[in-house]
Amino acid sequence: MNQHRRSFIVRSFLFSMMGGSLIACKPSTSNTSIVPVEIDPRTTCDLDGMLLADYPGPKAQVFYVGNPTPRFFCDTVELLNTLLSPEQVQAVAAAFVQDMGKADWDQPRGNWIPVNTAYYVLGSKRHGSMGPTIASFSLEADAQKFIAQWNGKLMRYADIKPEMVDLSGGALHDTKM
């Protein structure tokens, strides 16, 4: 996919996150009222069917334009991969991650924040449902405290690149197979 198309998709996502819609390029006032939905014991991950309540680490959810029901992710890496994927063409109405400065790592509930306002910590020693994860925080101070304990690198949403959230795992890079 060329850089122009990727740039359009990223701009489209950011526009929709600010309350706009790509449908006929008209602003939508309904997007400002989207409220995150809390997970329950039956909530499953949209990508792999895992029960979110059974695993540690930050969770995520996305609302696509025209769909009032969110799609859930058992890990922030999965959401970020989906949003930054060149194949992502659905207009996003809202996306949320959990504030791990407030949520319990082992059983995170609530504390949802917009994906594009969060501070992210990549490369920490703390694992989520899928192993290494990206911790999300509403406050930079909480992210820095997490880094002091678990290591990692502080980033903002705009700085995260698709290759940083690759879901292919280590199998593609294992030369011993």
Side-chain angles (χ1 to χ4, degrees):
M1 173 164 289
N2 67 32
Q3 182 62 29
H4 176 72
R5 174 132 168 85
R6 183 176 186 287
S7 177
F8 171 76
I9 291 170
V10 170
R11 284 193 316 268
S12 300
F13 168 72
L14 293 175
F15 178 72
S16 66
M17 288 299 297
M18 294 184 298
S21 171
L22 294 177
I23 299 172
C25 295
K26 294 180 182 177
S28 170
T29 57
S30 64
N31 291 341
T32 59
S33 63
I34 295 176
V35 177
V37 174
E38 190 50 59
I39 63 173
D40 65 38
R42 298 177 319 267
T43 305
T44 59
C45 177
D46 191 59
L47 293 182
D48 55 30
M50 292 173 59
L51 290 169
L52 274 64
D54 289 351
Y55 298 94
K59 311 298 182 253
Q61 58 184 284
V62 62
F63 289 83
Y64 291 108
V65 170
N67 188 348
T69 305
R71 293 192 182 163
F72 286 95
F73 299 88
C74 57
D75 193 286
T76 52
V77 177
E78 291 177 339
L79 172 71
L80 294 167
N81 174 272
T82 299
L83 295 177
L84 298 175
S85 172
E87 294 83 19
Q88 168 60 12
V89 294
Q90 289 182 283
V92 173
F96 301 94
V97 293
Q98 288 180 300
D99 179 359
M100 299 314 291
K102 296 178 182 167
D104 176 349
W105 189 274
D106 293 320
Q107 295 199 349
R109 300 291 184 272
N111 301 294
W112 297 100
I113 56 175
V115 69
N116 63 333
T117 65
Y119 292 89
Y120 294 96
V121 177
L122 284 74
S124 80
K125 295 178 183 176
R126 198 86 203 252
H127 285 193
S129 63
M130 302 302 290
T133 192
I134 298 174
S136 46
F137 300 88
S138 64
L139 300 175
E140 183 177 3
D142 289 340
Q144 293 291 359
K145 183 179 174 183
F146 181 86
I147 289 170
Q149 183 174 3
W150 300 101
N151 297 331
K153 179 180 178 183
L154 182 68
M155 299 189 85
R156 297 305 304 259
Y157 178 80
D159 300 321
I160 299 173
K161 307 295 180 224
E163 59 271 13
M164 296 174 178
V165 291
D166 182 13
L167 295 178
S168 63
L172 293 177
H173 307 288
D174 188 349
T175 58
K176 298 174 189 166
M177 291 176 74

